């Protein structure tokens, strides 16, 4: 390859202003000297140059990582430059890459063919370095400008399409909004805050509250105060305060009741926002929508009632399980009674809850064993409840049904103890006896002090279920007390026996026929002169303690006891002096 660079080597160091933006240039030339020279010069200008001497390899490079420009020699072994250019332009990935041919062929035919294949320029060898750099930079600039123009055109087309789409959406939304206003089942209105009157309503309102638009207009500012439920007026005034300080775009919901023309109240939900303002920025017109929600409110009330009933059931179940577990696993009756009174009092939300036990002999008596008091209710634990001459108590203990007194001062059964009720401040009471195997053993009482109270059927049923469990608990407490008394008697008997043995100088011992374990009383230790805190001797040790003449007899007796252990599998007491 011929070049004029050899005549003027100083031109290799010429540095022109660097306008490159690190474009990627692929150079294809089978002449290594020309390839190295041009690559070095372009690299110094700030371009990233990938040199190659093979057409097929250059084609693979371009397809895998498309460059910004290609310098392509024509005459190369294997695939020539024309073939490489033709395949580059045939691929969508590389067809827009500018190609500059560099060749020693200077015929018009060659140049025409190069341009017909899609080349953007043609440089004839030998060439001037400045010319190559200028043409390269010119084509790269044109390529960048072309890309920018294409991008701007694409952006402009996109903006045009977006504008057309928005205009179509606007026309559609206007049509849609008009249809919504006409067919919307809710009330749409514009309200003048300053003049306090409705400027627009999308339909006649009589179907919801029975009034025509003209009748509402006649009411003007008195419309809301006249028809709104008195309990909802504070909420309405609060809504107006929110509107007065509302920012643009803010909306506020408000639920209220409006009186129908027939006199009944109907629930509505309004959502309002500022639609227009005065020159001073104060709210002027309100845009609002309102929907009747009476059915929803009724459903909410029913759901609330159902949830309250479910909550009561859960609390009742918890109360019964708590009391049942206390009865089963606690051996402390006081703890059982105190836990029960606290749980019952809280579940029933009573001022006071009392658990009593009842005994018939030697004389009928009522004992207060546990108490729950809410707030500062007066304690009744030390109060003696009369049994004789108390019809209310006698009737209560005679059957398993609850005795309900919503107002104690109107209850005939409490006439004899009315002074006592006034003394403790009792206003309302429900009581039920506890029983075991059909016999009364106590009662549960719930008191209300602030005012008379209506005790519901759910509360009565729950108290009856609780009383059934407490009857078991009181019976269990009585059995524990009997067992305690029996154990005290047994301890007293054992102490008396030990004292009698000590006085009579008589001891006792027991032999376990299975384990041969011997148990001595304290007097036996004293008889044998041994320490009573020591362990009893074994059979062999006991045999050694006997006189030699008596060892045979003792051994024979022990052997006899050993033979009988197969028939007597229990501890047999044997007394001796």
């Amino acid at each position: 390859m011929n070049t004029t660079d050899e005549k003027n080597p100083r031109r290799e160091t010429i540095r022109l202003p660097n306008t490159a933006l690190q474009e990627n240039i692929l150079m294809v030339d089978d002449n290594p000297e020309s390839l190295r020279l041009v690559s070095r010069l372009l690299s110094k200008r700030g371009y990233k140059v990938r040199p190659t001497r093979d057409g097929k390899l250059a084609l693979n490079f371009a397809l895998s990582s498309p460059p910004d420009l290609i310098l392509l020699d024509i005459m190369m072994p294997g695939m020539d430059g024309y073939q490489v250019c033709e395949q580059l332009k045939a691929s969508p990935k590389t067809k827009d890459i500018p190609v500059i041919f560099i060749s020693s062929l200077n015929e018009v035919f060659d140049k025409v063919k190069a341009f017909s294949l899609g080349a953007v320029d043609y440089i004839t060898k030998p060439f001037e370095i400045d010319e190559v750099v200028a043409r390269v930079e010119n084509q790269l600039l044109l390529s960048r400008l072309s890309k920018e123009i294409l991008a701007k055109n694409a952006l402009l087309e996109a903006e045009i399409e977006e504008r057309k789409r928005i205009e179509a959406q606007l026309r559609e939304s206007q049509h849609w909004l008009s249809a919504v206003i006409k067919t919307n089942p809710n009330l749409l209105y514009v309200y003048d805050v300053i003049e306090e009157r409705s400027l627009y309503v999308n339909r006649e309102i009589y179907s919801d509250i029975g009034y025509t638009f003209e009748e509402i207009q006649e009411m003007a500012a008195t419309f809301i105060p006249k028809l709104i439920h008195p309990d909802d007026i504070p909420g309405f005034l609060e809504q107006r305060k929110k509107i007065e300080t509302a920012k643009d775009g803010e909306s506020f919901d408000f639920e209220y009741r409006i009186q129908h023309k027939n006199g009944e109240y109907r629930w509505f939900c309004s959502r309002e926002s500022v639609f227009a303002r005065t020159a001073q920025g104060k709210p002027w017109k309100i845009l609002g929508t309102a929907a009747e929600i009476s059915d929803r409110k009724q459903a909410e009330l029913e759901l609330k009632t159902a949830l309250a009933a479910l909550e009561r059931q859960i609390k009742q179940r918890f109360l019964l399980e708590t009391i049942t577990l206390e009865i089963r696993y606690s051996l402390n009756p006081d703890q059982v009674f105190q836990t029960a009174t606290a749980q019952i009092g809280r579940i029933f939300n009573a001022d006071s809850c009392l658990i009593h036990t009842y005994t018939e002999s030697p004389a009928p008596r009522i004992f207060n064993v546990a108490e729950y008091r809410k707030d500062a209710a007066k304690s009744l634990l030390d109060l003696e409840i009369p049994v004789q001459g108390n019809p209310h108590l006698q009737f209560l203990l005679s059957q398993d049904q609850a005795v309900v007194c919503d107002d104690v001062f109107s209850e005939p059964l409490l006439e004899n103890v009315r002074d006592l009720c006034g003394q403790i401040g009792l206003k309302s009471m429900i009581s039920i006896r506890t029983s075991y195997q059909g016999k009364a053993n106590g009662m549960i009482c719930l008191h209300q002090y602030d005012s008379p109270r209506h005790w519901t059927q759910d509360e009565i049923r729950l108290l009856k279920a609780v009383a059934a469990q407490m009857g078991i608990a009181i019976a269990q407490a009585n059995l524990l007390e009997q067992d305690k008394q029996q154990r005290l008697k047994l301890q007293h008997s054992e102490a008396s026996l030990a004292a009698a043995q000590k006085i009579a100088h008589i001891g006792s011992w027991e032999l376990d026929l299975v384990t041969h374990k011997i148990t001595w009383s304290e007097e036996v230790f004293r008889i044998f002169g041994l320490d009573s805190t020591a362990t009893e001797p074994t059979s062999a040790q006991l045999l050694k303690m006997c006189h030699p003449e008596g060892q045979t007899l003792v051994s024979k007796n022990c052997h006899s006891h050993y033979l009988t252990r197969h028939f007597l599998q229990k501890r047999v007491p044997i007394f001796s002096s």
Side-chain angles (χ1 to χ4, degrees), residues 395-407:
F395 176 68
L396 177 67
L397 295 174
S398 67
Q399 44 85 49
D400 288 325
Q401 299 302 318
V403 178
V404 182
C405 303
D406 290 348
D407 185 354

Side-chain angles (χ1 to χ4, degrees), residues 232-245 252 254:
D232 298 330
I233 291 178
F236 171 75
L237 297 177
E238 182 65 24
Q239 175 82 347
R240 284 293 170 262
K241 289 181 181 179
K242 292 179 181 178
I243 290 296
E244 290 174 1
T245 59
F252 303 96
F254 172 50

Side-chain angles (χ1 to χ4, degrees), residues 492-511:
H492 180 72
S493 298
E494 290 177 348
S496 299
L497 177 61
Q501 288 183 358
K502 185 175 182 181
I503 294 172
H505 202 55
I506 297 174
S508 64
W509 56 273
E510 295 179 1
L511 172 64

Side-chain angles (χ1 to χ4, degrees), residues 303-362:
L303 178 60
K304 184 177 180 181
T305 303
L307 290 176
L310 179 60
E311 183 179 3
R312 287 197 303 271
Q313 291 177 5
I314 293 174
K315 288 181 177 179
Q316 293 170 6
R317 184 67 178 176
F318 174 76
L319 173 61
L320 291 174
E321 289 184 356
T322 300
I323 295 175
T324 302
L325 290 175
E326 284 288 340
I327 294 172
R328 289 179 180 176
Y329 300 111
S330 177
L331 297 178
N332 186 345
D334 292 338
Q335 178 181 336
V336 174
F337 297 147
Q338 196 56 51
T339 300
T341 54
Q343 293 290 344
I344 296 170
R346 293 191 184 101
I347 293 296
F348 283 85
N349 193 28
D351 290 336
S352 175
C353 176
L354 289 161
I355 292 180
H356 310 274
T357 58
Y358 171 70
T359 59
E360 288 185 338
S361 59

